[in-house]
Amino acid sequence: GTKGAIAAALFHLFNHSAFKGSLFLVTGMIDHSTGTRDVTRLRGLAKAMPFTAALCGLGALSMAGLPPFNGFLSKEMFFESAWESVTANLAFLGGAAWAFPALALVGSTFTFVYSLSIFFKVFYNGPLTKDTPHEPHEASWGMLFPAAIMASFIVIVAIIPGFFAKNLLNPAVLAVAGTPIDLQIAFWHGINAPLLMTLAVVGVGLLLYWRIGDLKRLLFRLPAYPGADAFYKWLFERDALAAGAGRLTNAYMTGRLRDYSVYILIFFLLAVGGSIALAWSESMISFADLAPVNIFEFTLAVGMVIAAIVMVVVAKRLPSVLALGVVGYGVALFFVFFRAPDLALTQLLVETVSLLLFLLAFRHLPRRLWDEASTPSGGTRVFNMVIAGSVGVLAGLLTLISHSNREFESICWYYIKNSRVLAGGDNVVNVILVDFRGLDTMGEISVLGLAALGVFALIHLGVHGSSKEKADGC
């Protein structure tokens, strides 16, 4: 996160494109000239492909982080940022922050080893290979020239690093970090931590490269050879990914509406409740301008709570339907208490229609809404109560927070002031629905009309379908 780390990342990205790009082109030339890219069948290619070997040497030694190439410069900046992170942006981790420069050392060491392997084992390491589909030969100039262009940046950046720092890296860091930086890139900054880390990489890397055969034999003796190939085969060839995805899907796709509701409500509690907890302060809720609760409102609220509990606890159909009606009509009465006759009338109509539909389908309902076999266990019921109670508390908390944090004047005064002037009506709610939000209301009416047509079509088709089936039966 520091500007030095950003500069190191951008500089190494540029250098990486130079040496790795040239190595990709070299790989293509080797494949074209020999007919294979299998490193176990390639050796001594420098005798037949000297120009290709020179280009590979530039790319491999730069990737290994050796001077006097550009990879050394950006790797030193990389080491410096990793070292300084322990006392800078990662200091909050304490002793664990030392894992980052340690990982930088380990990663650079293995990069050093495979860079040497790419160059020396393929182009030297004995006589010219004979075990290739084609006899090795130098690539054409048309193939060498693009790779030479890429490799030239390895040398050019190393010769004039200050030019690239001033004209490329400084503007790039300014674009990413938002603040300028004055980079001074050079090969020698004295004996410091990055230089000691480089010496450690070179020393350990040369030792590993010298004993690479023993290292491979040691790895192959392990019960499970660590590598990307083994992981890939386990993941895809043995269907671990598909099997794991299937088990995960089956775990949450239960087919029960209750489980899906729980997922949604838990996410609501974590997302909204967590956000409130992180931003909580005593000033978020104010009780200064809340209206007092009178005895009628308190009694009605207690009755609705009792009816809701009865609806959940009683398994018989008639008490449950009646308790549901009590809750709905109680909401309508609250609208009456709060002087909202339009909302009260709407709630009364909806609740009456819903209750009538329940009664019309009453004989189709089971006598008991659930039996002993489908009754949830005690732990599940407690969990359900906790979820339901938490959602209720959070909904009430949100209501209080929204009431206590009005940053703008309410828009209701605009409607009250302009209801008669602009629309010629005294009933503000009706004017809003018909005039101020007329298009929205028309859309809602259209949806209801289409739903009514759909219901009529289904009933009509069902009646005619039943008559046709009876006629066919006769």
Side-chain angles (χ1 to χ4, degrees), residues 5-25:
I6 295 172
L10 293 172
F11 191 27
H12 197 68
L13 178 66
F14 177 80
N15 292 337
H16 189 275
S17 65
F19 60 68
K20 187 60 74 73
S22 64
L23 288 174
F24 276 130
L25 296 176

Side-chain angles (χ1 to χ4, degrees), residues 112-130:
F112 181 88
V113 172
Y114 72 66
S115 298
L116 296 186
S117 298
I118 290 171
F119 180 51
F120 289 105
K121 287 188 176 296
V122 172
F123 288 94
Y124 296 95
N125 193 32
L128 180 62
T129 181
K130 302 296 183 182

Side-chain angles (χ1 to χ4, degrees), residues 271-307:
V272 180
S275 301
I276 293 176
L278 290 175
W280 179 257
S281 64
E282 294 183 359
S283 60
M284 289 183 69
I285 295 181
S286 174
F287 299 95
D289 58 344
L290 293 181
V293 179
N294 57 44
I295 187 63
F296 301 105
E297 296 166 353
F298 179 77
T299 305
L300 182 58
V302 171
M304 292 174 62
V305 170
I306 295 174

Side-chain angles (χ1 to χ4, degrees), residues 439-474:
L439 291 177
D440 184 47
T441 304
M442 185 177 69
E444 294 176 356
I445 293 174
S446 301
V447 171
L448 292 174
L450 290 174
L453 290 175
V455 172
F456 173 78
L458 290 173
I459 295 175
H460 184 72
L461 291 175
V463 171
H464 283 268
S466 302
S467 301
K468 187 177 182 302
E469 290 173 1
K470 292 180 180 179
D472 293 340
C474 294

Side-chain angles (χ1 to χ4, degrees), residues 262-276 386-395:
V262 167
Y263 302 154
I264 296 172
L265 295 176
I266 288 179
F267 177 80
F268 171 74
L269 290 171
L270 293 177
V272 180
S275 301
I276 293 176
V386 171
I387 294 293
S390 301
V391 171
V393 170
L394 182 58

Side-chain angles (χ1 to χ4, degrees), residues 372-390:
E372 295 297 330
S374 61
T375 302
S377 62
T380 303
R381 283 183 295 208
V382 172
F383 179 76
N384 292 344
M385 291 173 60
V386 171
I387 294 293
S390 301

Side-chain angles (χ1 to χ4, degrees), residues 2 8 31 44 55 58 106 141 161-162 189 205 220 230 267-268 275 284 339 366 377 404 414 427 439:
T2 62
D31 194 1
L55 294 175
L58 286 174
V106 173
W141 287 106
H189 291 284
F220 278 117
F267 177 80
F268 171 74
S275 301
M284 289 183 69
R339 299 181 182 87
S377 62
S404 305
Y414 171 83
N427 191 317
L439 291 177

